[in-house]
Amino acid sequence: MGAFDGQNVIIDIMGKTYNNPNDHYDYGIYTKVKDGARKLDNIVLSRIFITVKSITQIDPGHYWIEIIHQDEDETDEFMEKARKDRLAEKDLPKLNGICKKANGFRESYGWYPDDAVLFGSGLSNFLKGNGFLNGDCELRKQDDMDHRLSNTEERNAGRREENNDLSIRPFDAHQNGRFHPDKIDVTTNPYLLPGDSRTDEQIIAEIRDFAKSFKDVWSYNLNSFDETNCHTFLYLLLATCNLADPDCIGKDLDPYFLAYKTSLNGKKNLNSKYEERKELINKLSELSKNI
């Protein structure tokens, strides 16, 4: 239920649960937004934070954005049969199937290394490697060859292109998280600012354009200004598409965003690439806190 205080709409989502795995989970957050701001229920921001289990065992976590479609669980007959027969990805060529449906893979976007990550030296990035949208690279695909053709299990490689070998839509390697919500630390929805009249279709087109045109290495440098990873990708996407994240960034619940913004703002004489990122990150902070 919502309440109106004259200037703001209070949206109470405390205690709301989802029984359908296609829905995302809310985490008891009260969101206060200006009248006229619009929550985008069909777009989900998912975050798995870095977990240090021991000195030698670190779960790197992941950030990604999802776009929900009503037909995403429709499945091609050849894929249904392959799953029933428990076939693996290495069996795809002999199926002679052409995807005409989403096959349960939710459209989604995130930034990955190819896993050929090397330690930097001196002032270079702590970890650095080639960057790929959705982890769609040969090295990761090879690691999936013995995996079943399932949309509910975690993969090493997603797909960056439409009409790929598994689905009609691009998807992040973590898109299966909707079936395992307990493994996701935070999910939120972005918001449109008051007065923003863009349609859902226009917003989705902008998200796709950003994702497909993004090019950089993948790097991690303890949340420093000069890194580019799944965190950076999501922040820059939101800012470029003029989308606010009041439930997480707006409430200072994303520690990586705070550290990254502090690092950017603490540097002088940035080159044009990082100066632009600094402006975008500060813009995203303002959008998310003041919506």
Side-chain angles (χ1 to χ4, degrees), residues 62-75:
H62 188 55
Y63 282 23
W64 70 101
I65 186 169
E66 300 180 347
I67 301 170
I68 301 173
H69 297 277
Q70 293 300 313
D71 65 349
E72 62 188 21
D73 288 321
E74 294 181 5
T75 306

Side-chain angles (χ1 to χ4, degrees), residues 12-125:
D12 179 3
I13 57 175
M14 178 67 80
K16 185 177 180 182
T17 59
Y18 294 84
N19 296 318
N20 187 330
N22 293 325
D23 296 328
H24 70 282
Y25 276 60
D26 286 318
Y27 288 81
I29 301 171
Y30 284 100
T31 304
K32 183 176 182 178
V33 297
K34 294 178 180 177
D35 187 20
R38 181 163 73 91
K39 182 180 179 181
L40 299 173
D41 291 306
N42 63 326
I43 299 176
V44 181
L45 312 177
S46 295
R47 292 170 167 93
I48 300 174
F49 297 141
I50 297 171
T51 302
V52 179
K53 299 177 181 179
S54 68
I55 295 177
T56 59
Q57 189 177 10
I58 299 176
D59 183 345
H62 188 55
Y63 282 23
W64 70 101
I65 186 169
E66 300 180 347
I67 301 170
I68 301 173
H69 297 277
Q70 293 300 313
D71 65 349
E72 62 188 21
D73 288 321
E74 294 181 5
T75 306
D76 290 303
E77 289 185 9
F78 82 89
M79 188 65 74
E80 286 184 353
K81 185 177 187 305
R83 288 171 177 167
K84 183 178 180 180
D85 294 341
R86 301 179 67 83
L87 297 184
E89 192 162 320
K90 63 185 177 184
D91 300 312
L92 267 175
K94 65 185 180 185
L95 297 178
N96 294 319
I98 297 176
C99 294
K100 297 182 179 180
K101 297 181 179 180
N103 294 323
F105 292 100
R106 174 171 287 177
E107 182 176 3
S108 42
Y109 301 98
W111 196 246
Y112 289 79
D114 58 3
D115 274 358
V117 176
L118 302 175
F119 285 93
S121 60
L123 297 177
S124 62
N125 293 98

Side-chain angles (χ1 to χ4, degrees), residues 22 72-73 75 79 83 102-106 148-155 166 171 173-180:
N22 293 325
E72 62 188 21
D73 288 321
T75 306
M79 188 65 74
R83 288 171 177 167
N103 294 323
F105 292 100
R106 174 171 287 177
R148 289 189 302 158
L149 292 169
S150 170
N151 63 309
T152 64
E153 297 178 4
E154 188 172 335
R155 314 174 60 79
L166 294 173
F171 61 89
H174 279 74
Q175 66 79 40
N176 69 308
R178 64 190 176 107
F179 299 98
H180 310 281

Side-chain angles (χ1 to χ4, degrees), residues 4 9 11 29 61 78 80 83 95 100 103 131-132 142 151 191 195 199 209 222 239 244 248 264 273-274:
F4 183 68
V9 175
I11 302 173
I29 301 171
F78 82 89
E80 286 184 353
R83 288 171 177 167
L95 297 178
K100 297 182 179 180
N103 294 323
F132 293 89
Q142 285 300 314
N151 63 309
Y191 281 73
T199 65
D209 287 344
L222 302 175
C248 192
L264 279 169
K273 171 182 175 178
Y274 296 117

Side-chain angles (χ1 to χ4, degrees), residues 224-275:
S224 176
F225 76 97
D226 57 349
E227 67 180 25
T228 302
N229 49 51
C230 59
H231 305 158
T232 327
F233 175 85
L234 182 62
Y235 304 151
L236 296 175
L237 184 154
L238 291 172
T240 301
C241 296
N242 216 43
L243 300 175
D245 180 24
D247 290 341
C248 192
I249 289 175
K251 293 182 178 296
D252 291 336
L253 297 179
D254 187 333
Y256 311 126
F257 180 82
L258 293 172
Y260 182 58
K261 181 165 74 78
T262 298
S263 179
L264 279 169
N265 288 331
K267 296 294 180 181
K268 297 181 179 179
N269 302 317
L270 293 170
N271 64 30
S272 58
K273 171 182 175 178
Y274 296 117
E275 190 62 44

Side-chain angles (χ1 to χ4, degrees), residues 190-244:
Y191 281 73
L192 282 187
L193 302 178
D196 190 332
S197 60
R198 285 178 295 169
T199 65
D200 288 359
E201 290 74 17
Q202 289 173 319
I203 296 162
I204 290 171
E206 290 183 21
I207 291 171
R208 289 170 175 164
D209 287 344
F210 175 90
K212 292 176 181 179
S213 63
F214 190 81
K215 290 180 173 58
D216 208 329
V217 298
W218 181 97
S219 58
Y220 176 69
N221 196 17
L222 302 175
N223 306 307
S224 176
F225 76 97
D226 57 349
E227 67 180 25
T228 302
N229 49 51
C230 59
H231 305 158
T232 327
F233 175 85
L234 182 62
Y235 304 151
L236 296 175
L237 184 154
L238 291 172
T240 301
C241 296
N242 216 43
L243 300 175

